[in-house]
Amino acid sequence: MTPATAAQTIGPFWHLLEEKSWADLTRFGAAGEPIVLTGRVIDGDGAPFADGCVEIWQSDPPTSDMFPGFGRSVIDPAGEFRFVTLKPGLVPGRGNAQQAPHIAICIHGRGLMHQLYTRAYFENDPLNETDPLLTSIEAPARRGTLIAKPDGAATWRLDIRLQGGNETVFLDV
Amino acid sequence: MNNPAPYRAYTPGTQPPLASHAYRGTIRRHPLQPLHPMPQTITEVTGPSFSPTRYKPMADMTATGAAAPLGERILVAGRIADEDGRPVAHTMVEIWQANAAGRYNHPGDTHDAPIDANFHGAGRVFTDAEGNYSVQTIRPGAYPWPNGPNSWRPSHIHFSFFGPAFATRLVTQMYFEGDPLLPLDPVFMAVPDEAARARLVAPLDMAITRPGFALGYRFDVVLRGRTATPMEDNHP
């Protein structure tokens, strides 16, 4: 077995690849419940994680020619990312478990030697109470770092703190 | 399908620690808490797919301007496989880099070296059924960066891979055989395992070289493999 190739930081100039349309997962005309997922990414000094990027993946709704399931958003100078996507539904968990609706998140940027994974759940979804991942995080305050909050019409906000007070829970995927 | 076979954990020492403080940019940007363990679910073992009809290939990065870019034309080719040697077929590969003078065509790059109007520096290719890819570009230059008083990045090309799952995502950098800057580079040296570091260094490969046209370098890449059997707890 040859182990997986080592990661290296994406660096500050990945924007050479950027296609702004990738932040809109509805751009191919997918039908469903459109939502905005936005937030601010900050570092251990509280400074914006400007020049990085956020990628999202959702296995629901199922991918199709109309719905790519994947998006990439620049993190702007204020630290903000922003996606337009469709609200995910239920996703089966392991065994007979049910996962609450969620969006998987992957963060890259200068100063990150390896991508960071986390998730966005949706506040007040009753299934959050029994979601296998959320319930495996014992401290309620830490669990809350994965829960996006309503921020206007059909808009959900999840702020992400890379380090320090109220640090986001990052996942060992 | 509710108990999908997970992708393997990374082999210890083969990945750079998030807290790689010789690279100063990591100091205030890595989590202090340990990563939270979780079993992979359908969310992690599935991932996006990209088709070349919708995501246009750009396999010749020397052909984006009105004329040929300055610098040494090269070919970079290799095979993408999983940890068990199985090819990763028809997967998208993204590529970006500085120009021959060591300058990115990017407003954030303030290094006092010339922009080349004929070199944008981004590419996109797809592997074939055997996992092979190839891209034509120019050899990027080394450049200084503000890590220390006299820090220089070795010549490198950035690569991004998706593979079959969100768990197989890989962003890395390819270096060139024989570069004396490699042992001085905290980004490269952040990978603890020497063999894993060596696999980031592309050797000259005369089989990839096109006679009379361009030298060729081989960069083979391995994405995480999957365990053979689903995890326990077999519910119907």
Side-chain angles (χ1 to χ4, degrees):
Chain A
M1 186 193 104
T2 309
T5 299
Q8 297 274 270
T9 181
I10 201 168
F13 303 130
W14 66 272
H15 313 82
L16 293 177
L17 297 173
E18 192 191 353
E19 308 221 14
K20 292 190 191 310
S21 65
W22 288 24
D24 182 357
L25 286 74
T26 66
R27 68 191 181 279
F28 301 124
E33 181 190 341
I35 59 166
V36 169
L37 177 65
T38 188
R40 184 162 181 260
V41 187
I42 58 173
D43 68 15
D45 293 320
F49 188 62
D51 70 25
C53 68
V54 175
E55 294 177 339
I56 60 171
W57 164 248
Q58 48 192 100
S59 54
D60 188 85
T63 57
S64 67
D65 281 349
M66 310 279 269
F67 186 66
F70 173 83
R72 180 188 285 154
S73 169
V74 66
I75 298 172
D76 71 15
E80 298 273 335
F81 65 90
R82 185 179 189 276
F83 293 96
V84 178
T85 186
L86 298 180
K87 183 105 190 304
L90 303 181
V91 177
R94 301 190 69 81
N96 290 328
Q98 191 70 254
Q99 300 190 80
H102 64 274
I103 293 175
I105 293 176
C106 180
I107 301 169
H108 310 268
R110 177 178 64 81
L112 280 184
M113 283 302 301
H114 196 279
Q115 66 225 21
L116 287 174
Y117 288 108
T118 186
R119 280 186 176 187
Y121 288 86
F122 299 90
E123 188 175 48
N124 294 329
D125 191 303
L127 281 166
N128 290 347
E129 304 303 319
T130 53
D131 178 82
L133 172 61
L134 285 178
T135 54
S136 75
I137 301 167
E138 284 176 15
R142 297 220 75 211
R143 203 180 303 147
T145 66
L146 303 189
I147 300 177
K149 295 176 172 51
D151 185 25
T155 298
W156 296 83
R157 168 165 289 271
L158 185 74
D159 291 330
I160 295 171
R161 293 164 185 83
L162 297 180
Q163 187 186 82
N166 210 16
E167 182 177 297
T168 292
V169 172
F170 295 102
L171 304 170
D172 189 3
V173 168
Chain B
M1 184 59 190
N2 283 5
N3 290 319
Y7 287 86
R8 285 193 199 99
Y10 294 105
T11 302
T14 62
Q15 296 294 323
L18 289 161
S20 294
H21 288 184
Y23 168 21
R24 284 175 33 214
T26 69
I27 294 172
R28 299 301 274 159
R29 290 185 152 198
H30 66 80
L32 301 174
Q33 301 281 336
L35 300 181
H36 184 78
M38 67 169 293
Q40 292 169 20
T41 73
I42 285 174
T43 301
E44 288 74 35
V45 302
T46 55
S49 60
F50 302 88
S51 79
T53 51
R54 189 164 265 174
Y55 300 91
K56 194 166 168 279
M58 299 175 282
D60 185 355
M61 293 164 63
T62 69
T64 57
L70 295 173
E72 180 188 345
R73 186 167 51 217
I74 60 170
L75 299 163
V76 177
R79 181 171 180 266
I80 305 176
D82 70 14
E83 292 178 317
D84 301 300
R86 289 184 286 252
V88 182
H90 311 302
T91 193
M92 187 169 78
V93 181
E94 298 173 301
I95 304 138
W96 70 105
Q97 63 170 87
N99 69 19
R103 175 87 184 259
Y104 288 87
N105 192 351
H106 185 290
D109 188 353
T110 54
H111 174 37
D112 180 21
I115 295 273
D116 184 344
N118 291 312
F119 191 71
H120 177 63
R124 179 191 294 143
V125 295
F126 290 82
T127 58
D128 65 15
E130 281 75 49
N132 296 306
Y133 74 92
S134 175
V135 62
Q136 179 173 315
T137 184
I138 50 99
R139 184 174 174 133
Y143 57 82
W145 64 305
N147 193 59
N150 189 16
S151 300
W152 292 78
R153 290 301 326 277
S155 293
H156 62 275
I157 300 178
H158 296 266
F159 279 83
S160 145
F161 305 93
F162 289 87
F166 207 50
T168 57
R169 187 88 176 88
L170 170 68
V171 173
T172 190
Q173 300 179 27
M174 181 206 102
Y175 302 93
F176 290 85
E177 182 180 18
D179 191 328
L181 288 170
L182 285 173
L184 305 177
D185 178 40
V187 178
F188 175 72
M189 293 303 290
V191 180
D193 182 75
E194 189 177 351
R197 276 202 305 275
R199 289 190 288 114
L200 297 178
V201 182
L204 175 70
D205 186 336
M206 292 308 284
I208 294 169
T209 293
R210 228 160 93 200
F213 183 73
L215 289 174
Y217 293 86
R218 170 164 289 276
F219 186 47
D220 293 328
V221 171
V222 178
L223 303 183
R224 289 169 84 180
R226 208 165 179 181
T227 55
T229 49
M231 284 167 71
E232 291 308 309
D233 66 270
N234 281 323
H235 295 279

